[in-house]
């Protein structure tokens, strides 16, 4: 049996819910194209310009920026500059083990190399650092290589970078021999130890100085040096130039092909 009050409450709740469902929902104001726009002219212009921009068919790939603390890594397909030096065998009847060469260059001379290329008279040591060539041709390196039956042959392009021509020399200084001039240079300039002075025949105002490394030659070009109470200025010094000419020693063609790529059937005498 139902209570009359409860039934009345139920009917009132039902009637109130029906009235809420019948109430119309609020509508948003629709924009009328006929009415003038209340927005600013600058905004309308920017909207129109954005609509007028053409849509690209393809977008370029996004490349992340390189952080300053991260070094720029060279791609692996980029060819590096390499240098090589000929290690000539002194006694061809005694071959030097490759492992010995790597140990001497890495441990004793602090001049690590990339690889060794075998030749008929020895091998070529290849590196990607020019300063390594300086270490491999120093006096200490020559003594170390002689112990394992090798002698380093200085490449001509590296030798040119170590050779400095000195011009406009005083005639009184050039009267002395090359050994005496070299001794005077070393006494006055301690950083020029190990140099060799060469006098050019029939030229009394030019001499040539062969330095032990490229750093010494560059310092001469930058600062000059002192000699017999006189100053040799950098303007008087000039680095030797080297021009590589490719020659085939079988057919003797110039700037055409190396000897190992020659296809000539006849070998000519020089």
């Amino acid at each position: 049996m139902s209570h009359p009050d409860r039934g009345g409450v139920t009917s009132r709740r039902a009637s109130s819910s029906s009235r809420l469902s019948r109430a119309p929902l609020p509508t948003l104001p629709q924009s009328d194209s006929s009415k003038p726009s209340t927005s600013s002219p600058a905004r309308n212009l920017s909207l129109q310009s954005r609509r007028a921009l053409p849509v690209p068919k393809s977008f370029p790939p996004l490349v992340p920026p390189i952080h300053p603390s991260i070094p720029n890594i060279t791609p692996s397909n980029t060819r590096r500059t390499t240098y090589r030096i000929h290690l000539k065998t002194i006694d061809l009847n005694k071959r030097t083990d490759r492992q010995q060469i790597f140990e001497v260059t890495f441990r004793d001379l602090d001049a690590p190399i990339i690889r060794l290329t075998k030749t008929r008279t020895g091998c070529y040591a290849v590196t990607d650092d020019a300063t390594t060539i300086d270490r491999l041709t120093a006096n200490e390196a020559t003594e170390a290589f002689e112990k394992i039956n090798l002698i380093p042959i200085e490449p001509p392009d590296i030798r040119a970078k170590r050779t400095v021509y000195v011009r406009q020399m005083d005639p009184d200084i050039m009267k002395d021999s090359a050994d005496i001039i070299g001794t005077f240079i070393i006494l006055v300039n301690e950083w020029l130890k190990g140099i060799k002075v060469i006098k050019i025949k029939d030229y009394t105002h030019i001499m040539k100085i062969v330095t032990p490394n490229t750093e010494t030659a560059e310092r001469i070009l930058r600062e000059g040096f002192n000699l017999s109470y006189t100053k040799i200025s950098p303007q008087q010094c000039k680095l030797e130039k080297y021009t590589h000419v490719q020659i085939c020693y079988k057919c003797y063609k110039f700037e055409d092909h190396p000897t190992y790529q020659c296809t000539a059937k006849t070998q000519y005498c020089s």
Side-chain angles (χ1 to χ4, degrees):
M1 184 174 180
S2 62
H3 197 274
D5 294 338
R6 291 181 180 176
V9 173
T10 304
S11 61
R12 282 195 298 270
R13 289 179 179 175
S15 61
S16 63
S17 61
S18 62
R19 283 197 300 270
L20 290 173
S21 60
R22 291 172 189 163
L25 296 174
T27 56
L28 296 174
Q30 298 180 356
S31 60
D32 190 1
S33 60
S34 61
K35 294 181 181 181
S37 176
T38 58
S39 59
S40 62
R43 182 181 179 186
N44 294 335
L45 183 61
S46 63
L47 290 173
Q48 291 175 5
S49 61
R50 272 185 282 179
R51 290 178 187 140
L53 290 175
V55 180
K57 295 182 180 180
S58 61
F59 295 92
L62 297 178
V63 179
I66 300 177
H67 195 270
S69 62
I70 301 176
N72 190 6
I73 302 175
T74 306
S76 58
N77 58 356
T78 303
R79 188 174 181 179
R80 297 179 299 176
T81 303
T82 56
Y83 309 89
R84 68 177 188 174
I85 181 175
H86 187 206
L87 302 177
K88 187 177 180 180
T89 304
I90 300 175
D91 187 359
L92 295 178
N93 296 324
K94 300 178 182 179
R95 288 292 179 178
T96 305
D97 188 15
R98 294 167 58 92
Q99 186 65 27
Q100 289 181 330
I101 302 175
F102 282 111
E103 289 179 357
V104 169
T105 55
F106 187 85
R107 181 188 59 194
D108 300 339
L109 304 178
D110 191 21
I113 58 178
I114 298 176
R115 62 182 179 272
L116 290 173
T117 304
K118 188 177 179 180
T119 62
R120 290 181 298 177
T121 58
C123 62
Y124 278 105
V126 183
T127 179
D128 59 349
D129 190 2
T131 58
T132 302
I133 300 296
D134 291 338
R135 300 191 189 101
L136 293 177
T137 54
N139 296 331
E140 298 81 3
T142 303
E143 296 175 359
F145 282 127
E146 286 178 352
K147 295 179 181 179
I148 57 175
N149 194 31
L150 293 173
I151 181 171
I153 306 299
E154 191 175 17
D157 55 337
I158 301 297
R159 190 186 306 115
K161 294 180 180 179
R162 299 179 180 181
T163 306
V164 179
Y165 280 92
V166 184
R167 303 169 295 174
Q168 302 174 359
M169 293 292 299
D170 189 90
D172 292 335
I173 297 176
M174 296 298 292
K175 290 180 181 179
D176 296 326
S177 64
D179 295 335
I180 295 176
I181 295 175
T183 303
F184 283 144
I185 293 175
I186 296 174
L187 287 175
V188 182
N189 310 271
E190 295 182 356
W191 55 277
L192 286 177
K193 291 181 178 179
I195 65 170
K196 181 181 179 181
V197 176
I198 301 175
K199 293 181 65 175
I200 302 174
K201 188 178 180 181
D202 299 331
Y203 285 90
T204 58
H205 61 283
I206 299 176
M207 69 177 183
K208 186 166 64 172
I209 298 177
V210 181
T211 61
N213 49 59
T214 55
E215 295 179 358
T216 305
E218 292 174 356
R219 184 173 176 181
I220 292 176
L221 297 176
R222 189 172 57 253
E223 302 177 6
F225 59 93
N226 298 322
L227 172 58
S228 297
Y229 305 103
T230 59
K231 170 68 176 179
I232 305 299
S233 65
Q235 287 75 19
Q236 297 176 242
C237 305
K238 186 178 181 181
L239 199 66
E240 185 179 44
K241 290 184 178 180
Y242 169 76
T243 303
H244 175 71
V245 179
Q246 189 180 54
I247 305 174
C248 175
Y249 291 96
K250 185 178 181 182
C251 64
Y252 283 91
K253 286 186 177 181
F254 292 89
E255 297 295 336
D256 187 85
H257 59 271
T259 305
Y260 69 91
Q261 293 181 355
C262 184
T263 58
K265 297 180 180 180
T266 304
Q267 185 172 0
Y268 299 92
C269 297
S270 57

